[in-house]
């Protein structure tokens, strides 16, 4: 088209009285799109402003030409139409070209979860909650707790659930949140659900106490009876008494003429010395000598005295102080359940069906458990008395924590006696 058209004159008029004209690239960047149709694109690489300064494209560079530079770059309306006619893209072609371009699949944006509590704690709660996937909602889980449904919740799961409950600080952090609960993490959603059930922690505690009581009661009773019986077996063993008397007599003979001679008795810890003190042959111990005499007399009852102590080995592996503490733990658990029943009962008509079910079950449990605890406490007292009597029997300080040492020493002595008996019987067989 003609370079003297209106488009060219307007450009000149715009430049009148002003400094050097802008570089073509910069001028094009600020202008609005002039073509009404989409055009083919030239995939060139524009120069940066720094590199443009001294290049041929710099402002004023075209002024060195004799021909007016505006005649070389100005585009009027006719020029634009001509360019569009040659380089324009028809609408259908444009759509086809756009359709042919590979499109990226839209990936749904992952919903960001708001974190209100410590991240490690949140992760631990999330892992713990995985054990309760069979419940469709937290509400369903909590209703099972209130109903004390042991078919859905085992003792182990109750213990896990109790550890997941929010602390007072965590409850406060979640309670202050007023946004959409769905935006919270799994742990925070769980804590938020817990807050809708006032007294849930106490009910869960009652359920856990009730669910584990029978097994705990049975174990405590069995352990206490074992220790009590072991004490009685040792004190009632006449065979053991005869063996100790014979050992004392032999030992006094060996110690004759020393301050250790004529001993009326020996401490329990020195009893094992009879298993290590040897004769001139460097083989026969004091215990071997005494057992050999028993074998020679064919004293079957004495040789088999270990059979009179069936509870000793098991009792030696028990801790009486731990047993007594376990009884107190059970007592405190039942007391908490009784307090929860009293608190719930005080609400009267405000109870819903789930609470009434809980109240009925927990009340029945408390009545039965109270009698069981009283029986355990009586057994604990009886076992302590038997333990103290046994310690006094061996001239030990009668303290409950010492009974384990008494049992351990006796177990070692019995084992040594059995070795000596086997050795003596073997020697007798060889001689015959």
């Amino acid at each position: 088209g003609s370079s003297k058209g209106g488009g060219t004159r307007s450009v000149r008029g715009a430049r009148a009285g002003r400094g050097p004209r802008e570089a073509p690239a910069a001028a094009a960047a600020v202008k609005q799109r002039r073509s009404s149709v989409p055009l083919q694109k030239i995939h060139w690489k524009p120069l940066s402003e720094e590199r443009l300064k001294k290049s041929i494209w710099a402002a004023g560079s075209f002024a060195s030409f004799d021909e007016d530079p505006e005649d070389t770059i100005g585009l009027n309306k006719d020029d634009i139409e001509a360019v569009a006619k040659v380089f324009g893209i028809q609408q259908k072609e444009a759509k086809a070209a756009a359709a042919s371009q590979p499109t990226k699949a839209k990936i749904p944006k992952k919903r960001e979860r708001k974190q209100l509590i410590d991240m490690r704690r949140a992760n631990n709660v999330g892992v713990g909650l995985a054990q309760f996937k069979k419940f469709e909602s937290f509400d369903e889980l909590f209703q099972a707790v209130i109903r004390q449904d042991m078919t859905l919740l085992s003792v182990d799961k109750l213990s896990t659930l109790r550890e997941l409950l929010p602390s007072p600080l965590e409850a406060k952090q979640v309670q202050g949140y007023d946004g959409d609960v769905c935006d919270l993490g799994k742990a925070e959603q769980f804590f938020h659900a817990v807050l809708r059930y006032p007294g849930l922690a106490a009910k869960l505690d009652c359920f856990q106490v009730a669910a584990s009581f029978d097994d705990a009661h049975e174990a405590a009773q069995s352990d206490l009876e074992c220790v009590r019986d072991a004490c009685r077996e040792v004190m009632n063993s006449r065979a053991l008494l005869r063996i100790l008397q014979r050992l004392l007599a032999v030992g006094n003979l060996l110690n004759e003429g020393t301050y250790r001679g004529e001993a009326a008795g020996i401490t329990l810890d020195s009893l094992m010395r009879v298993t290590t003190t040897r004769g001139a042959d460097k083989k026969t111990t004091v215990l071997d000598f005494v057992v050999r005499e028993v074998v020679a007399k064919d004293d079957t009852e004495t040789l088999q005295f270990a059979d009179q102590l069936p509870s000793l080995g098991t009792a030696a592996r028990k801790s009486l102080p731990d047993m007594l503490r376990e009884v107190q733990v059970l007592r405190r658990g039942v007391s908490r359940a009784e307090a929860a029943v009293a608190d719930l009962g005080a609400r009267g008509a405000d109870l819903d069906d789930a609470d009434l079910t809980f109240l009925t079950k927990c009340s029945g449990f408390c009545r039965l458990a109270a009698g069981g605890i009283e029986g355990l406490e009586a057994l604990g007292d009886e076992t302590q008395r038997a333990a103290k009597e046994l310690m006094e029997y061996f001239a030990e300080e009668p303290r409950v924590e010492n009974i384990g040492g008494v049992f351990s020493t006796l177990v070692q002595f019995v084992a040594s006696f059995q070795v000596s008996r086997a050795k003596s019987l073997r020697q007798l067989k060889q001689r015959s």
Side-chain angles (χ1 to χ4, degrees):
S2 172
S3 63
K4 291 181 171 55
T8 303
R9 284 194 298 273
S10 66
V11 171
R12 286 175 176 171
R15 291 184 62 230
R18 298 188 181 184
R21 65 177 175 83
E22 294 178 306
V30 298
K31 290 181 180 179
Q32 293 184 348
R33 182 171 180 152
R34 291 166 291 178
S35 174
S36 60
V37 297
L39 303 175
Q40 296 283 0
K41 308 303 177 188
I42 303 176
H43 298 289
W44 61 26
K45 189 175 182 181
L47 292 173
S48 65
E49 184 176 351
E50 184 64 29
R51 295 179 63 187
L52 188 67
K53 290 180 180 178
K54 297 181 180 181
S55 73
I56 189 173
W57 310 101
S61 295
F62 292 110
S64 60
F65 290 97
D66 294 336
E67 188 178 1
D68 187 343
E70 285 295 328
D71 290 343
T72 65
I73 63 172
L75 294 177
N76 60 25
K77 185 178 180 180
D78 293 338
D79 296 331
I80 293 171
E81 290 178 354
V83 170
K85 185 175 182 180
V86 176
F87 297 101
I89 302 176
Q90 298 300 319
Q91 194 68 15
K92 289 183 179 181
E93 294 176 355
K95 288 182 178 179
S100 65
Q101 295 296 322
T103 57
K104 293 183 179 179
K106 290 186 178 180
I107 301 176
K109 189 176 180 181
K110 189 175 181 180
R111 188 170 192 167
E112 286 191 12
R113 300 294 183 181
K114 295 182 180 179
Q115 183 178 326
L116 304 179
I117 62 174
D118 176 73
M119 182 179 294
R120 179 178 295 180
R121 167 67 167 156
N123 290 337
N124 290 339
V125 172
V127 171
L129 289 174
Q131 297 186 30
F132 305 96
K133 286 182 178 179
K134 64 181 178 182
F135 295 96
E136 295 184 359
S137 66
F138 294 137
D139 291 320
E140 185 178 316
L141 170 60
F142 299 153
Q143 288 296 325
V145 170
I146 295 171
R147 293 194 312 271
Q148 297 192 5
D149 193 337
M150 294 186 186
T151 63
L152 297 176
L153 293 167
S154 65
V155 173
D156 289 341
K157 280 186 168 56
L158 291 174
S159 180
T160 298
L161 185 58
R162 190 173 182 179
E163 293 174 357
L164 300 181
L165 293 183
S167 66
L169 176 59
E170 291 167 339
K172 187 175 181 181
Q173 290 171 326
V174 173
Q175 199 168 25
Y177 176 74
D178 58 0
D180 188 348
V181 177
C182 294
D183 290 334
L184 296 176
K186 192 74 172 177
E188 286 88 346
Q189 289 182 24
F190 171 71
F191 289 173
H192 193 276
V194 170
L195 297 180
R196 297 200 306 270
Y197 288 81
L200 181 65
K203 292 172 182 175
L204 176 58
D205 179 46
C206 292
F207 187 12
Q208 188 176 8
V209 170
S212 60
F213 183 83
D214 287 346
D215 289 342
H217 180 278
E218 183 179 348
Q221 179 175 321
S222 175
D223 289 347
L224 287 169
E225 288 175 346
C226 176
V227 170
R228 180 202 61 190
D229 293 346
C231 293
R232 291 175 175 176
E233 289 164 5
V234 171
M235 294 184 66
N236 292 332
S237 175
R238 296 186 59 82
L240 174 61
L241 177 60
R242 286 196 296 271
I243 293 169
L244 295 181
Q245 288 175 338
R246 192 62 177 173
L247 286 170
L248 181 63
V250 173
N252 276 331
L253 179 61
L254 295 177
N255 288 330
E256 194 171 53
T258 71
Y259 76 93
R260 294 189 180 92
E262 299 183 3
I266 59 174
T267 61
L268 190 62
D269 60 348
S270 64
L271 178 62
M272 295 306 294
R273 301 290 176 85
V274 302
T275 68
T276 57
T277 302
R278 301 180 186 279
D281 63 359
K282 306 298 182 184
K283 295 180 181 180
T284 305
T285 67
V286 176
L287 182 60
D288 290 339
F289 178 82
V290 170
V291 171
R292 187 185 301 166
E293 285 187 324
V294 175
V295 169
K297 294 178 180 178
D298 197 21
D299 187 350
T300 304
E301 180 185 0
T302 302
L303 285 176
Q304 296 179 349
F305 90 96
D307 296 340
Q308 300 173 4
L309 312 174
S311 305
L312 180 61
T314 303
R317 296 191 293 271
K318 307 292 183 182
S319 169
L320 181 55
D322 287 349
M323 296 177 206
L324 298 174
R325 280 192 289 270
E326 180 60 26
V327 173
Q328 292 307 307
V329 168
L330 289 175
R331 162 60 76 185
R332 289 193 292 270
V334 173
S335 296
R336 291 196 306 272
E338 290 172 339
V341 168
D343 181 62
L344 200 59
R347 289 169 50 187
D350 293 338
L351 302 180
D352 58 20
D353 290 343
D355 283 336
L356 287 171
T357 301
F358 170 83
L359 185 59
T360 301
K361 287 190 173 182
C362 202
S363 298
F365 161 73
C366 289
R367 285 193 298 272
L368 293 174
I373 286 294
E374 290 176 1
L376 269 185
E377 290 174 336
L379 177 59
D381 292 340
E382 184 182 359
T383 303
Q384 287 187 77
R385 286 194 298 272
K388 289 179 180 180
E389 289 173 1
L390 178 64
M391 287 182 279
E392 290 174 344
Y393 187 67
F394 285 102
E396 297 292 315
E397 187 176 357
R399 294 167 56 186
V400 170
E401 57 269 26
N402 292 343
I403 189 62
V406 173
F407 283 151
S408 295
T409 300
L410 290 174
V411 166
Q412 293 178 56
F413 178 76
V414 171
S416 297
F417 181 90
Q418 299 288 62
V419 171
S420 294
R421 187 186 72 167
K423 184 193 299 184
S424 297
L425 290 174
R426 187 170 58 251
Q427 292 172 346
L428 179 62
K429 185 176 180 181
Q430 290 173 350
R431 287 196 299 270
S432 60

